[in-house]
Amino acid sequence: MVKIYTKVGDHGQTKQVTGKMVPKYDLQIEALGAIDELDSWVGYVISILSPKAQSLAPKLKTIQRNLYELQADITVKRHHNISTSDTKQLETEIDDIMAKLPVIKAFILPGGNPSGAALQYARALARKAERLVVELNDKKQPLNGDILEYLNRLSDYLFALARYANLLEGYDEEKSKL
């Protein structure tokens, strides 16, 4: 059996892949944690997809795998698996999804059926992860631009998926008063 604890206590420190000990609030650790939070939430979304929205599961599992690659791209030197082609794939899928949806002429309230609402929350988590990764890039660790572009497009993709999940369920999106 592999133990997942060391029994030494971490005293507020964590070990990076390089072996260097850093505070748990280190910017790289915060960025990786935000990506992990998003990845975990996407797993939750998959678990609650309605029967009508099950077709989204393979797309979301691909996102989960890409998020693992993205974390490796941030932590491991010379690991650059997220590329422009991953972002282009998101853009193609966004265009395909948006072509199926009614045009929105006002802001819509995040929500809808459980799948759609959970995907809206995933979108917000993607934006949070993007902000932290951008801060990491700007202040501490220059990153490959493909990482930043992918995270930016990912939130757009999750927004499109949220709207599509709501459409599949027959939910009429609620417009904001603005």
Side-chain angles (χ1 to χ4, degrees), residues 30-74:
E30 288 285 348
L32 294 171
I35 295 166
D36 183 43
E37 183 178 4
L38 170 60
D39 202 0
S40 296
W41 187 259
V42 171
Y44 172 73
V45 172
I46 293 166
S47 77
I48 65 161
L49 287 174
S50 69
K52 292 180 180 178
Q54 279 299 311
S55 63
L56 303 181
K59 296 174 184 303
L60 292 169
K61 287 179 183 178
T62 297
I63 295 304
Q64 286 189 297
R65 288 183 183 91
N66 285 348
L67 289 171
Y68 271 115
E69 292 296 338
L70 195 140
Q71 287 180 305
D73 285 357
I74 290 171

Side-chain angles (χ1 to χ4, degrees), residues 147-164:
I147 292 170
L148 303 173
E149 188 177 9
Y150 181 84
L151 272 174
N152 179 266
R153 206 66 75 248
L154 179 58
S155 59
D156 298 332
Y157 179 66
L158 293 167
F159 175 76
L161 282 180
R163 292 195 64 217
Y164 188 55

Side-chain angles (χ1 to χ4, degrees), residues 95-156:
D95 293 343
D96 290 346
I97 292 167
M98 295 304 284
K100 298 173 185 172
L101 297 171
V103 176
I104 52 174
K105 297 179 181 176
F107 289 108
I108 58 170
L109 297 176
N113 67 64
S115 301
L119 282 161
Q120 284 285 6
Y121 188 65
R123 172 198 53 80
L125 290 175
R127 288 285 187 213
K128 175 183 175 183
E130 178 188 13
R131 288 190 303 272
L132 285 165
V133 170
V134 167
E135 184 178 9
L136 175 65
N137 178 72
D138 290 352
K139 292 183 177 177
K140 185 176 179 190
Q141 179 185 343
L143 299 168
N144 181 318
D146 292 335
I147 292 170
L148 303 173
E149 188 177 9
Y150 181 84
L151 272 174
N152 179 266
R153 206 66 75 248
L154 179 58
S155 59
D156 298 332

Side-chain angles (χ1 to χ4, degrees), residues 67-86:
L67 289 171
Y68 271 115
E69 292 296 338
L70 195 140
Q71 287 180 305
D73 285 357
I74 290 171
T75 58
V76 180
K77 288 187 186 290
R78 294 180 298 284
H79 189 283
H80 302 291
N81 284 8
I82 294 297
S83 68
T84 302
S85 65
D86 296 304

